[in-house]
Amino acid sequence: MLTLLTIAGLGAAVALPVVLLSVGGGVYDHERAALTSAGYQIAVSSGGTHGIDGAHSFSADIDALPGVAAASPVLSVALEAFLPNSTVPVLTEGVLPAAFLATQEPEEADLFPHPLPLGDPTDSAHWDNGTYAGPSAGRVLLSTPFASAERIGLGATLRLGSGTDRNDSTPFEVTGLFGVVGPSIGPTAVFGAILPLSDLQVLSGLARTASGVELDAADSVEVSLQPADQSPTDLDRVAGEIAHLAPFYTVSVLDSEAGQLAQAEGILDGFYVGLSAVGLVIGLAFLALVLLREVESERRSIGIRRAIGVPSYQVAIGLLGRGAALAAAGAVVGILGGVAIVGALADRAGGEVGAVAALAVFDPATLLLLALSVVGLSLVAGSLAVRAALRRALPESLR
Amino acid sequence: MSGTALSLDSVRRIYGAGRPDEVRALDGVSLEVPAGEFVSVEGPSGCGKTTLLNLVGLLDVPTSGAVRWGATDVGAWSEGQRTRGRLAGVGFIFQRFYLLPTLTALENVGLPLKARRVPGPARRTRAQELLEEVGLGARASAFPHELSGGEEQRVAIARALANEPPVLLADEPTGELDSASTDRILQLLEEVHERHGSTVLLVTHNPRVAARARRHLVLRDGKVISDRTDP
């Protein structure tokens, strides 16, 4: 019974790090994969919202750099969509239609029509060298949840504006729909629209200042590189050239973000290991107590062995082996238990807990290292028992 | 067989020395036991018989004085030397047999051989031979709880003989046996003594058992009060 309790106690102590490390590692891997699968490799941003000025010309300058496949400013603004009987907020994104691929992640590839049917691929007609005087194509793309909920079909006219006054709104023809990554987006955000950048700038008042000075604002410029130019060296080179173009902007290379993510993962792993160590110490203290109790109950048997001349190391090996066997059994139970707990959470917990548990990754090397650590630490517990067994005077042991 | 197998020179063993409850288990005992002698150590309970055996068998160390095997002062040996000495130099036969309950008779007899790292097949062969010698060849696979007291003690004697020690130390070996088993064990000890030429120290408080020895030591209050050899 005590043996089973010991194995169960050690198993519980091992299951904790199994759960923490596998789920933590899984979340890290997921985030890392999301980062590395992003369609762009370099993002340029500023400190504030809509903080990039001269977005069209800045993007053109970046686009001209060697190795750059596409560069698109991205501006995100919440507008009002004026429906016949209501007004609905819609999250609108302004881009350069032809460079849209630069902002698109591979997993989104099937969600958008290609090319975007916005009528002004380079956004140059309406932009007209910063005058915004050119003819707008007057087209918009809507997310399918939005279009479906509001019964808006292709070819319909949708009025968009930044204020609540319908008279200040502008009509756009709905020329396309795009899907959304459902589970990862909240119910409000799925109501989305895509416009050429300059149209959104004009609608949102980010084309010029109140005094008429050209702003040409965007939130960021997302840059993708040619497939042949995506090595870390190429990334650093292009990022350096962009930084040289605009030293006052922040240039983020996804590799460095991945590095930061890895660093955060390392810190979290340290925290998990520290937390788990507390459980393991308790488990091993329990093991030490059990072994000491066995030494007491086996006092005479140990004494007999010693009396007939069995060397101390053979007595020690017996006790250490017993401790290691219990620890190994506990490690196996803990690992299997941890895997079962994570599996149960993934299958039955639902919500965010279930989603996070489903990301868990069980790294065999980590699990093996954990098991070996537990067995190794059991030798410390075993050595206490060995010391107790060998310190007792032989006549006393045989009494 | 000639020379001195064992000797004690002014040996004292004091438990709790310096404390009010200190016990002088042995108090200045000196004696010599020639090789091949069969010696009984007699006396009432608490007179120091078992302490004497423990010191000679390296289970304990003297507070003062010298314990010698031949000419070697074994009282000064390290724990490791004493362990090796017990393995090769003496065979113990205890009153309560002290067989390991989880091992069969064969495995119990083979234990000292295993400690000397004798390979398994040779170990089992030798253990079986020893069990045959004590008349238990057919009980090799029996566990201690399946044996009678007399059989258990015979297994213990076989175990004591496993490494062919020059000295056998028997501490009340018939103390828990009926008279028939006692006779069988004593006869076996005599046979072993004659066949192997072992030096035997037999601790007992039973005069009938002591009568089997040729030399008789009597202890009282930690001192040798009589040392008599039969004609």
Side-chain angles (χ1 to χ4, degrees):
Chain A
M1 187 63 180
L2 194 61
T3 299
L4 289 177
L5 275 175
T6 307
I7 292 171
L10 283 168
V14 171
L16 179 64
V18 169
V19 172
L20 289 176
L21 292 173
S22 61
V23 173
V27 170
Y28 165 72
D29 285 352
H30 175 75
E31 293 300 315
R32 178 85 173 87
L35 264 180
T36 52
S37 70
Y40 59 92
Q41 290 89 25
I42 297 173
V44 185
S45 60
S46 73
T49 311
H50 319 319
I52 288 184
D53 296 339
H56 282 87
S57 58
F58 183 43
S59 297
D61 291 343
I62 294 174
D63 205 25
L65 293 174
V68 171
S72 174
V74 177
L75 174 64
S76 296
V77 179
L79 296 180
E80 296 294 333
F82 295 95
L83 303 170
N85 298 314
S86 63
T87 304
V88 177
V90 57
L91 185 64
T92 312
E93 196 165 86
V95 297
L96 302 188
F100 181 68
L101 277 176
T103 72
Q104 198 177 1
E105 297 179 10
E107 64 186 21
E108 297 173 329
D110 296 333
L111 302 179
F112 296 89
H114 180 74
L116 295 185
L118 287 171
D120 186 0
T122 57
D123 194 31
S124 53
H126 180 236
W127 159 249
D128 195 13
N129 290 317
T131 64
Y132 296 96
S136 167
R139 296 180 181 186
V140 66
L141 307 184
L142 299 185
S143 67
T144 44
F146 178 35
S148 173
E150 302 302 336
R151 300 176 187 278
I152 304 171
L154 291 177
T157 297
L158 180 68
R159 300 192 70 88
L160 295 169
S162 57
T164 55
D165 186 352
R166 182 183 292 265
N167 294 326
D168 287 340
S169 63
T170 303
F172 287 86
E173 180 189 357
V174 178
T175 56
L177 302 175
F178 60 90
V180 295
V181 185
S184 62
I185 301 177
T188 303
V190 296
F191 276 28
I194 294 177
L195 287 172
L197 176 67
S198 57
D199 282 322
L200 183 57
Q201 286 173 329
V202 170
L203 279 177
S204 59
L206 293 167
R208 299 178 184 283
T209 65
S211 59
V213 177
E214 181 188 305
L215 265 179
D216 185 15
D219 297 322
S220 64
V221 176
E222 295 177 356
V223 183
S224 65
L225 301 190
Q226 302 284 1
D229 296 297
Q230 294 184 359
S231 70
T233 308
D234 291 326
L235 277 167
D236 287 343
R237 175 183 58 76
V238 175
E241 290 175 5
I242 294 172
H244 184 69
L245 286 175
F248 36 87
Y249 290 154
T250 301
V251 181
S252 302
V253 179
L254 290 191
D255 263 15
S256 62
E257 289 181 24
Q260 289 168 1
L261 191 65
Q263 193 177 11
E265 164 75 0
I267 293 169
L268 275 177
D269 276 353
F271 173 71
Y272 294 154
V273 169
L275 193 63
S276 305
V278 175
L280 286 177
V281 165
I282 293 171
L284 291 168
F286 186 58
L287 175 63
L289 287 175
V290 168
L291 291 176
L292 286 169
R293 189 177 178 280
E294 281 198 8
V295 165
E296 189 55 39
S297 64
E298 298 285 319
R299 170 181 60 85
R300 185 169 290 159
S301 289
I302 293 169
I304 292 167
R305 289 174 190 272
R306 293 174 63 204
I308 64 176
V310 173
S312 299
Y313 78 86
Q314 288 188 15
V315 175
I317 285 172
L319 285 168
L320 293 175
R322 170 85 173 138
L326 283 172
V332 170
V333 167
I335 288 170
L336 294 178
V339 171
I341 288 168
V342 172
L345 287 174
D347 290 343
R348 297 178 186 174
E352 290 183 2
V353 172
V356 168
L359 297 174
V361 174
F362 299 99
D363 176 26
T366 302
L367 297 181
L368 181 64
L369 184 65
L370 180 64
L372 290 177
S373 301
V374 172
V375 173
L377 287 170
S378 77
L379 300 181
V380 177
S383 66
L384 294 175
V386 168
R387 192 161 174 264
L390 298 181
R391 278 185 68 184
R392 192 188 293 272
L394 267 175
E396 186 189 339
S397 296
L398 294 170
R399 199 166 292 150
Chain B
M1 192 70 61
S2 62
T4 301
L6 309 165
S7 64
L8 279 72
D9 185 5
S10 304
V11 169
R12 283 188 169 76
R13 182 63 175 103
I14 303 171
Y15 296 105
R19 295 206 312 243
D21 59 344
E22 78 169 24
V23 175
R24 290 177 172 259
L26 285 184
D27 193 4
V29 170
S30 297
L31 62 90
E32 285 191 7
V33 178
E37 199 165 39
F38 195 137
V39 183
S40 70
V41 182
E42 304 159 44
S45 291
C47 70
K49 305 186 297 290
T50 296
T51 301
L52 175 67
L53 221 59
N54 287 345
L55 291 173
V56 169
L58 309 185
L59 296 179
D60 202 357
V61 289
T63 307
S64 65
V67 177
R68 294 191 182 87
W69 284 7
T72 306
D73 183 357
V74 295
W77 276 3
S78 68
E79 182 57 44
Q81 286 174 307
R82 297 210 323 251
T83 300
R84 287 190 291 277
R86 286 196 297 272
L87 186 60
V90 292
F92 286 99
I93 303 161
F94 300 99
Q95 178 179 356
R96 280 185 273 177
F97 325 132
Y98 286 164
L99 301 181
L100 295 182
T102 55
L103 303 183
T104 64
L106 190 79
E107 290 164 341
N108 266 290
V109 175
L111 200 58
L113 300 165
K114 190 177 182 184
R116 292 184 74 173
R117 308 181 83 164
V118 174
R123 186 167 72 230
R124 283 188 288 277
T125 301
R126 170 73 177 144
Q128 184 64 39
E129 286 172 1
L130 288 163
L131 284 174
E132 303 281 358
E133 188 174 339
V134 299
L136 290 175
R139 306 284 279 148
S141 59
F143 285 93
H145 71 270
E146 297 169 329
L147 300 170
S148 69
E151 287 175 327
E152 282 195 83
Q153 194 60 297
R154 280 191 277 160
V155 173
I157 291 172
R159 182 180 65 187
L161 295 172
N163 283 328
E164 299 182 357
V167 176
L168 282 179
L169 304 174
D171 189 0
E172 302 275 13
T174 59
E176 300 209 347
L177 301 179
D178 57 34
S179 58
S181 296
T182 296
D183 288 340
R184 182 79 197 271
I185 292 299
L186 292 175
Q187 186 183 345
L188 185 58
L189 277 175
E190 285 176 335
E191 288 171 8
V192 165
H193 168 63
E194 288 177 11
R195 195 178 309 136
H196 295 270
S198 312
T199 304
V200 179
L201 252 66
L202 171 65
V203 163
T204 182
H205 63 272
N206 184 339
R208 193 166 71 88
V209 173
R212 301 283 184 136
R214 184 164 173 270
R215 182 179 172 190
H216 307 273
L217 292 171
V218 180
L219 295 183
R220 181 160 296 161
D221 297 331
K223 298 177 190 290
V224 177
I225 60 165
S226 168
D227 185 352
R228 171 177 61 81
T229 303
D230 293 338

